[in-house]
Amino acid sequence: MVGLTELHQNRAPNAACDISGDGTGTNYASAEDEPYVTTSPRDPRDAVGIFQQDRWSTGGARGLTATYTHDGRHFTETPLPFSHCAPGGLNYQRASDGRMSTGPDGTVYASGLVLDATDARNGVAASTSYDGGHTWKHTTPLIDDTQAQFSDDKNSVTADPVHPGVAYQVWDRIDEDDSAKVYDGPSYISITRDGGRHWSKARPFVDTSVVPHSQTIGNVIVVDRRTDTLYDVFDWQTYDIDYATGTFTPTDLHFAVVKSTDQGRTWSKPVTVAKDTSVPEVDPNAPTDSTKSLRAGGDLPNVAVDPRTGELYVAYEGSDFSGGTYDSVELTHSVDGGRTWSAAKRVNQVASAPAFTPRSAWTRGALSRSPTTTCATSPPGTPPPCPPLPGWSPSPAARKTAPPSVASPVSSTGSRPPTPEATSSATTKDSQRTPHSPYDRCSSRPTTTHRRTPRTPTAGSSAPAGDSDRSLRPQSQPRRERRRLWEPGRTGSSGDRRSGPTELGRARLRAHVRREVNNPPFFL
């Protein structure tokens, strides 16, 4: 088993930044959310991570921080210039949704969602490192929206493994005008072909206007290096909108794929991968406690491609194996370039417990799949039914009751192989402690797992409220980022006097969509 390493020092590097004009909400200094890591194809010991630094309770963070290593043991942090709190940063109040990817020449591409909390400005930005994450250059806004009807969300970046200097950034862009009864959310793309020095004008490449009131979310590109084909996988969401009441009712939710054979210049029409049957995530140890509602990756697919055969794999959350009760991690694959897809298989090994936010990557000829499984309720004095991590050893008192070990994606030598072409989620601090009891191990997980579990602050708490940037809205809204949904002095839909909706978010505040959890509104 590869040892777990702390990727950050937790020193609040933005503590001196003046955020008095950055909008309302509580800022949690030292909070570090939504980590992600990329390794170099040239040397897997070279890795660069990214995470949100100093999370706001009302969405976004003071900035994004990068952390790099050349030996996998020692990490150094450097601020990414995506917000005004970073030296030489862009003039945005907040940043979120950090992603990274490394090209075959070692160039590291960073992507970040940038936004203001006091006006409608928001967009997606890029930055590039040519020295393994030490320094960042050519920081560029790829799109800069200033009108309240437009919002950008869930960006990702993919370096082309075949063509050095080429990388692709994709995201969804919502166009919403209630007065004109317009709701459209196409996928957007921007491409660099000179190593991040310049990026093409952002343009839509998945047209959602063909089905009224539709959007995409969770766009991510992978490349089949054998055929030089790009695949973009996303969640397609269509709603029936009652503009009189502001209610959004989902009518079609499914994962889909488009492909390009000319490096992103033209794209095919979408092909359905699987139905999106995910349900609201709840704490399995307290499924009726609305204060412990979880927020994971229910509509965010994860995709991997076999570099030898081009076989495609898509992992996602779905409730097919529980009769709609809770989510499992499901996996489907295609052997014909995304034209047809297999029946879904359940990946997580404990069928009685929910599983969240999968990540998958090819590692030396084997698909590594890492669902984050949350323990179910067990009788007092017995361990919950979580599979132990590789190498986990219970305390002497617990050994007699510990369940048997479950196979994990490791090599024949018993160690996890390096991942030259893989980009996966980094390990957060709460996953780095050594388990000492059967219960402790349930909050630990492998280094490739990305678990986005919100921590709603209570009085005296220093925990961040959520760890993804779909944050400026109550849970009943569609799962995406909303900036400036709230203005002081207005009354929200629940009568909460702390804030109220602006024109941008008024309709969504009354929406009762599939992620409604029947709890009082709270901010994610």
Side-chain angles (χ1 to χ4, degrees):
M1 176 183 178
V2 177
L4 300 178
T5 304
E6 185 173 3
L7 304 184
H8 53 88
Q9 291 90 34
N10 205 29
R11 295 173 181 170
N14 298 324
C17 178
D18 182 6
I19 58 173
S20 58
D22 289 358
T24 60
T26 301
N27 185 259
Y28 295 95
S30 299
E32 294 166 332
D33 286 4
E34 205 170 37
Y36 207 79
V37 67
T38 176
T39 57
S40 173
R42 300 191 303 179
D43 187 344
R45 293 173 298 181
D46 292 335
V48 186
I50 187 172
F51 51 85
Q52 296 182 38
Q53 183 68 60
D54 305 342
R55 176 75 183 185
W56 282 90
S57 63
T58 48
R62 291 194 193 186
L64 297 175
T65 295
T67 178
Y68 63 87
T69 181
H70 299 298
D71 60 8
R73 292 182 175 86
H74 306 89
F75 287 80
T76 302
E77 290 183 4
T78 180
L80 282 159
F82 284 146
S83 67
H84 75 93
C85 281
L90 298 176
N91 187 29
Y92 285 93
Q93 295 169 352
R94 304 182 185 185
S96 186
D97 287 11
R99 294 294 184 269
M100 284 185 174
S101 185
T102 307
D105 58 353
T107 301
V108 183
Y109 303 92
S111 175
L113 195 68
V114 290
L115 64 148
D116 285 349
T118 58
D119 57 42
R121 287 184 69 220
N122 76 117
V124 176
S127 194
T128 309
S129 177
Y130 307 104
D131 54 11
H134 292 241
T135 60
W136 295 89
K137 302 179 182 296
H138 309 301
T139 303
T140 306
L142 304 181
I143 192 167
D144 184 14
D145 282 315
T146 59
Q147 296 175 274
Q149 77 181 73
F150 296 109
S151 59
D152 305 282
D153 193 22
K154 299 319 298 175
N155 49 294
S156 68
V157 60
T158 301
D160 194 309
V162 179
H163 304 283
V166 178
Y168 314 93
Q169 291 224 34
V170 290
W171 64 94
D172 66 274
R173 182 177 187 247
I174 305 298
D175 178 0
E176 178 183 5
D177 185 345
D178 291 349
S179 62
K181 296 186 177 180
V182 171
Y183 184 84
D184 188 31
S187 303
Y188 266 64
I189 189 171
S190 179
I191 305 173
T192 181
R193 303 189 190 278
D194 60 2
R197 292 168 178 82
H198 304 89
W199 291 81
S200 66
K201 181 180 179 181
R203 62 178 177 85
F205 72 106
V206 177
D207 182 10
T208 50
S209 66
V210 296
V211 181
H213 301 158
S214 295
Q215 70 161 100
T216 70
I217 194 171
N219 290 269
V220 60
I221 286 178
V222 293
V223 182
D224 181 355
R225 63 186 67 194
R226 304 170 315 111
T227 61
D228 207 12
T229 301
L230 312 183
Y231 297 93
D232 177 69
V233 178
F234 52 88
D235 193 32
W236 179 292
Q237 303 176 348
T238 301
Y239 295 95
D240 177 47
I241 304 176
D242 185 339
Y243 283 97
T245 62
T247 301
F248 279 54
T249 303
T251 59
D252 181 22
L253 306 169
H254 67 271
F255 300 106
V257 61
V258 294
K259 70 178 181 179
S260 171
T261 56
D262 55 9
Q263 295 184 46
R265 293 176 176 88
T266 61
W267 292 84
S268 69
K269 293 185 181 301
V271 172
T272 297
V273 173
K275 287 187 176 296
D276 178 1
T277 61
S278 58
V279 295
E281 298 97 346
V282 297
D283 184 344
N285 295 301
T288 61
D289 187 345
S290 62
T291 66
K292 295 182 179 180
S293 298
L294 304 182
R295 187 165 155 242
D299 48 10
L300 303 178
N302 185 255
V303 59
V305 59
D306 185 339
R308 307 165 304 169
T309 67
E311 187 170 1
L312 294 167
Y313 294 84
V314 175
Y316 54 91
E317 286 184 33
S319 62
D320 299 285
F321 295 93
S322 68
T325 304
Y326 53 81
D327 287 344
S328 299
V329 169
E330 302 183 14
L331 182 72
T332 181
H333 67 100
S334 172
V335 297
D336 56 8
R339 289 186 291 272
T340 61
W341 293 85
S342 69
K345 301 290 185 181
R346 180 175 54 82
V347 174
N348 52 296
Q349 308 224 0
V350 181
S352 60
F356 310 131
T357 317
R359 285 294 179 265
S360 56
W362 273 93
T363 58
R364 289 186 180 177
L367 181 68
S368 296
R369 297 159 297 187
S370 300
T372 298
T373 302
T374 302
C375 299
T377 304
S378 298
T382 63
C386 275
L389 296 178
W392 172 75
S393 178
S395 62
R399 285 192 182 111
K400 293 183 179 180
T401 59
S405 178
V406 175
S408 178
V410 296
S411 69
S412 58
T413 60
S415 61
R416 190 177 302 275
T419 58
E421 64 270 35
T423 299
S424 57
S425 305
T427 304
T428 51
K429 189 171 184 179
D430 67 347
S431 68
Q432 295 160 7
R433 55 200 179 97
T434 301
H436 296 293
S437 76
Y439 295 97
D440 283 345
R441 80 180 188 285
C442 295
S443 59
S444 299
R445 50 201 183 272
T447 57
T448 54
T449 297
H450 180 194
R451 182 180 185 177
R452 298 184 316 189
T453 302
R455 292 175 286 175
T456 304
T458 56
S461 171
S462 60
D467 52 353
S468 173
D469 202 48
R470 298 182 296 253
S471 304
L472 303 182
R473 47 104 178 133
Q475 179 113 355
S476 60
Q477 290 183 253
R479 295 169 59 87
R480 61 179 178 274
E481 170 61 31
R482 281 299 174 192
R483 70 260 177 259
R484 204 193 175 210
L485 287 186
W486 302 97
E487 288 178 351
R490 291 186 178 183
T491 303
S493 58
S494 66
D496 188 347
R497 286 296 305 173
R498 61 181 151 174
S499 53
T502 66
E503 188 61 35
L504 175 64
R506 187 174 292 115
R508 228 78 56 242
L509 302 180
R510 297 187 298 272
H512 296 284
V513 296
R514 64 193 178 98
R515 300 210 168 270
E516 179 62 54
V517 292
N518 298 319
N519 60 302
F522 62 96
F523 296 91
L524 299 182

